[in-house]
């Protein structure tokens, strides 16, 4: 998607790096307009140029909810020009299969 993401495989918290302190509030507001709650964090909780948005995953989230959140983050990232990764990456596949595929022989 083009974002820089930090985190740990053992943690449900996914930090998406925003870097630009002036865009912290805009990211939170734009995500909220799309009905996605995020925690945005900046200075003094982080170094001045390491502001981030934190997404928290839960086992209660459905595939559709996660896809909606990814689509919204992608849209807001384009709107606010927050995609700093130099690698072009396709949308990550989480190995999900539709229910129809699970029950086919």
């Amino acid at each position: 998607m083009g974002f820089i993401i930090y985190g740990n495989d053992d943690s449900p918290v996914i930090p998406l790096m925003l870097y630009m302190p002036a865009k912290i509030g805009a990211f939170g507001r734009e995500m909220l307009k799309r009905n996605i709650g995020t925690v945005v964090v900046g200075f003094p909780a982080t170094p001045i140029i390491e502001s981030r948005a934190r997404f928290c995953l839960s086992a209660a989230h459905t595939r559709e909810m996660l896809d909606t959140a990814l689509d919204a983050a992608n849209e807001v990232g384009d709107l606010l020009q927050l995609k700093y990764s130099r690698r072009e990456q396709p949308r990550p596949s989480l190995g999900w299969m539709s229910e129809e595929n699970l029950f086919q022989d």
Side-chain angles (χ1 to χ4, degrees):
M1 292 176 72
F3 293 109
I4 295 177
I5 304 292
Y6 289 168
N8 183 318
D9 289 343
D10 296 328
S11 173
V13 179
I14 302 169
L16 183 149
M17 301 307 293
L18 301 176
Y19 294 109
M20 301 292 289
K23 295 185 180 182
I24 297 170
F27 185 86
R29 282 190 302 275
E30 289 295 327
M31 291 298 287
L32 200 52
K33 284 181 188 177
R34 291 157 177 81
N35 296 320
I36 308 293
T38 60
V39 176
V40 288
V41 183
F43 183 80
T46 66
I48 193 88
I49 60 168
E50 290 188 17
S51 56
R52 62 195 72 191
R54 291 183 176 146
F55 294 88
C56 299
L57 293 182
S58 166
H61 288 123
T62 65
R63 296 177 213 171
E64 292 79 20
M65 292 168 139
L66 296 174
D67 287 339
T68 299
L70 286 173
D71 290 340
N74 190 39
E75 185 178 326
V76 173
D78 287 337
L79 176 70
L80 299 177
Q81 299 179 354
L82 292 171
K83 298 181 177 184
Y84 302 113
S85 178
R86 293 184 179 166
R87 290 190 286 175
E88 183 62 36
Q89 296 181 348
R91 186 171 180 167
S93 171
L94 299 178
W96 293 331
M97 297 179 66
S98 67
E99 288 184 22
E100 294 104 20
N101 290 340
L102 291 174
F103 297 112
Q104 289 181 351
D105 289 353

